[in-house]
Amino acid sequence: MRHLIDTLNHSYDGSRASFIDARTIDDIIDPIEMFAPLSADSSQIAAVAA
């Protein structure tokens, strides 16, 4: 949390995870292989996949 307050203009590169583009998520992820809440939207699915 301190990072968000003290260094607002700096990015955090700790995980190097990349997110799937929401426009192509249906082509990349098979819903049967993903455990997520029933009402998850594409940005939430992309975060789970990362």
Side-chain angles (χ1 to χ4, degrees):
M1 183 60 107
R2 182 169 289 295
H3 168 77
L4 296 173
I5 296 169
D6 293 341
T7 57
L8 183 62
N9 296 326
H10 297 104
S11 63
Y12 176 71
D13 295 327
S15 69
R16 300 280 186 214
S18 61
F19 289 99
I20 299 169
D21 189 325
R23 294 170 291 194
T24 61
I25 198 165
D26 291 331
D27 300 327
I28 297 171
I29 295 180
D30 183 4
I32 199 74
E33 297 177 5
M34 176 68 59
F35 180 76
L38 184 60
S39 62
D41 65 14
S42 61
S43 63
Q44 292 166 323
I45 296 295
V48 169

